[in-house]
Amino acid sequence: MPGEGHWGRSAKWQTRLLRWTVLGIGWTLYLFCRGCVIGQMKYDPARGQMIIRARGLLAKRIALLIKLAVLLSDYFGAFYILGAILPLLPEIDDHKRNGRRIFESLVTLVGMVLAYWNIGLLLYWLSSLRYNRSIVRVVNEVIRLHALIDRCFGPLLVAELHILVVFVAELHMTVLHLFNCLRIEMFLFLYNIVLLEVFFCAYMAYQMLLLSWLSSFSLFLHRYRLQGTSARGQRTKLLRLFRLYARVSNGHQAIMQLWLPVASMLFSSIVIMVVDCATIVNCILFKHNLDMRQKWDEIFSHLGACLSPLLRMLLLGLCNDSLTRLENLLSLQLLGTDLGHHQLEGDYRKDSEQEGFVRHLRNLQICFDLQTRAQPIRNHIMSVNQICGCPFFLDFFFCTLINSFSCVQYVLSLGPQSENFQGFFSS
């Protein structure tokens, strides 16, 4: 049939896209961490999994010297901190200008403190043997699960293509932000962005695999109901689906324990994001003395810092809503499968093997219902009680927008001399 051939070509293309995307992200992050001497993880080709391998003393010392040299290039941000503290000291000045400088100084101090805090925590986790072992354990479990699911229910496809498109846009905005930090020599913020992006990209690669696994389960259940329940191989796959889903759910909980402390850092960029967003709004609406080229130049210099945090939140929200939809679909499909077996239970009583299969299937169905209620597969942020879905992203977006307009309103109220209010973040 033409439809089946077309589906086969589409499935092959989406399978390759998923494989290239995940492998590209994984190997890029792995080579970056190994090349920059970050962490103690190493890939063992013979075992096909990650292992703990301590770095040599010479390599660690050389890497430490290079990292210190990068941070010393801007004196650990000492000039920025002094520039932020000095306006807070008593001075004889116009009260409007003093208010503007205090506002800039407070924003600078908060941004610097958050950057130092994030870098310290991320470097501590990456150098911690306990944290590295946890990462190796969950990465190996993801590799094993992917191989099992691909062998039993493959080929695995890109479940949500629009998520991949948004992820590519987020990478472009992050690169734009990095280039802007390099251009104005903000190396401390550059280091913070790179480390945070390493964790975020690794989590997004896992999210793409997770969505492909659940989509593959759903596709199998759809075919199972269409093809009937008489094939023994299909019944074996159905029982295996419950076991694999339990492993996926338990593995997700372990990954969330590692991800939650990092996810809370995504909020730390809201300070800089609000200032950059306010700068863009001020440039578009109120800077009439600039021509179009100058306006676009100023907008692009702040666009990356403004959009990249928003796109990260949007990605988490889109992934969470897709996970919710797929998990609800799985519950409905498994319920329909159970009801179908229940209708044929009278016929199964003639066959002891099929009767045992129905009984075992019903027990697994009960376990599945309990597991989906006790530990649903969701994307949490800040705490296990805070789910990051699209409604949360909308709240985050409008909160950012309101704060940005408030900054613009505050600076405009200080008078014409406060036209350029981004202070330390100015290019």
Side-chain angles (χ1 to χ4, degrees), residues 42 52 63 131 135 177 266 283 291 294 296-297 300 307 312 328 347 356:
K42 184 178 180 181
I52 294 292
Y131 196 83
I135 292 178
H177 190 190
L266 298 178
C283 176
D291 57 28
Q294 292 173 326
W296 277 112
D297 182 67
F300 274 109
L307 292 185
R312 292 189 193 108
N328 292 336
D347 298 333

Side-chain angles (χ1 to χ4, degrees), residues 9 13 43 76 82 142 153 164 212 214 339 355 377 401:
R9 290 190 296 272
W13 173 77
Y43 180 74
F76 291 98
L82 289 176
V142 168
F153 303 100
L164 182 58
S212 69
L214 297 184
L339 292 175
E355 185 179 359
I377 300 177
L401 203 60

Side-chain angles (χ1 to χ4, degrees), residues 92-370:
I92 302 175
D93 199 355
D94 181 69
H95 70 283
K96 289 186 177 181
R97 177 169 177 79
N98 187 47
R100 178 180 67 84
R101 295 188 65 187
I102 289 178
F103 172 73
E104 295 174 357
S105 302
L106 289 176
V107 172
T108 301
L109 279 177
V110 172
M112 293 293 296
V113 168
L114 290 175
Y116 275 120
W117 178 258
N118 289 349
I119 291 174
L121 284 179
L122 292 174
L123 289 179
Y124 171 75
W125 291 332
L126 289 171
S127 61
S128 169
L129 183 60
R130 179 174 174 270
Y131 196 83
N132 278 256
R133 284 175 176 169
S134 300
I135 292 178
V136 167
R137 184 171 59 252
V138 298
V139 169
N140 289 336
E141 177 65 10
V142 168
I143 293 174
R144 287 190 292 266
L145 274 173
H146 184 73
L148 284 173
I149 296 173
D150 185 64
R151 185 167 60 249
C152 297
F153 303 100
L156 300 176
L157 315 175
V158 176
E160 307 287 343
L161 191 58
H162 64 280
I163 292 179
L164 182 58
V165 174
V166 178
F167 178 62
V168 172
E170 187 272 335
L171 287 178
H172 280 80
M173 291 297 104
T174 302
V175 170
L176 185 61
H177 190 190
L178 291 175
F179 274 114
N180 185 57
C181 290
L182 280 174
R183 184 167 59 90
I184 57 180
E185 298 181 352
M186 294 165 54
F187 295 107
L188 180 67
F189 285 90
L190 179 69
Y191 204 19
N192 180 32
I193 296 167
V194 170
L195 289 177
L196 191 59
E197 190 68 14
V198 167
F199 282 87
F200 182 76
C201 288
Y203 189 72
M204 284 307 303
Y206 161 71
Q207 288 287 294
M208 292 180 191
L209 289 178
L210 180 59
L211 290 171
S212 69
W213 296 343
L214 297 184
S215 297
S216 182
F217 291 161
S218 177
L219 182 60
F220 166 76
L221 290 174
H222 176 71
R223 292 174 175 174
Y224 181 84
R225 295 200 63 191
L226 292 179
Q227 296 174 1
T229 62
S230 59
R232 183 174 182 178
Q234 294 293 93
R235 295 201 300 268
T236 303
K237 280 188 176 183
L238 180 60
L239 298 179
R240 189 173 295 176
L241 183 147
F242 285 99
R243 300 188 184 97
L244 287 174
Y245 178 85
R247 288 185 60 178
V248 169
S249 180
N250 293 332
H252 182 76
Q253 306 309 314
I255 291 175
M256 288 308 302
Q257 292 180 2
L258 300 176
W259 166 248
L260 271 177
V262 182
S264 62
M265 294 183 182
L266 298 178
F267 289 94
S268 63
S269 57
I270 190 171
V271 177
I272 301 175
M273 178 177 59
V274 166
V275 173
D276 283 287
C277 183
T279 304
I280 293 175
V281 172
N282 183 60
C283 176
I284 294 175
L285 298 180
F286 301 106
K287 286 196 173 182
H288 305 296
N289 58 323
L290 301 179
D291 57 28
M292 189 59 66
R293 186 191 62 80
Q294 292 173 326
K295 280 194 173 185
W296 277 112
D297 182 67
E298 183 168 345
I299 289 173
F300 274 109
S301 64
H302 297 276
L303 192 62
C306 176
L307 292 185
S308 56
L310 283 175
L311 290 176
R312 292 189 193 108
M313 289 295 178
L314 177 60
L315 280 168
L316 292 177
L318 291 174
C319 290
N320 186 81
D321 287 0
S322 297
L323 290 173
T324 304
R325 179 180 57 81
L326 287 172
E327 195 174 54
N328 292 336
L329 180 60
L330 278 176
S331 299
L332 291 175
Q333 288 176 318
L334 288 171
L335 178 61
T337 302
D338 183 64
L339 292 175
H341 284 288
H342 181 72
Q343 293 176 355
L344 299 175
E345 190 173 4
D347 298 333
Y348 286 160
R349 288 173 183 172
K350 302 176 184 178
D351 190 334
S352 58
E353 181 182 354
Q354 290 184 341
E355 185 179 359
F357 163 73
V358 172
R359 190 181 302 111
H360 188 35
L361 179 64
R362 188 157 300 166
N363 293 333
L364 291 176
Q365 176 72 38
I366 295 173
C367 293
F368 173 85
D369 293 335
L370 292 175

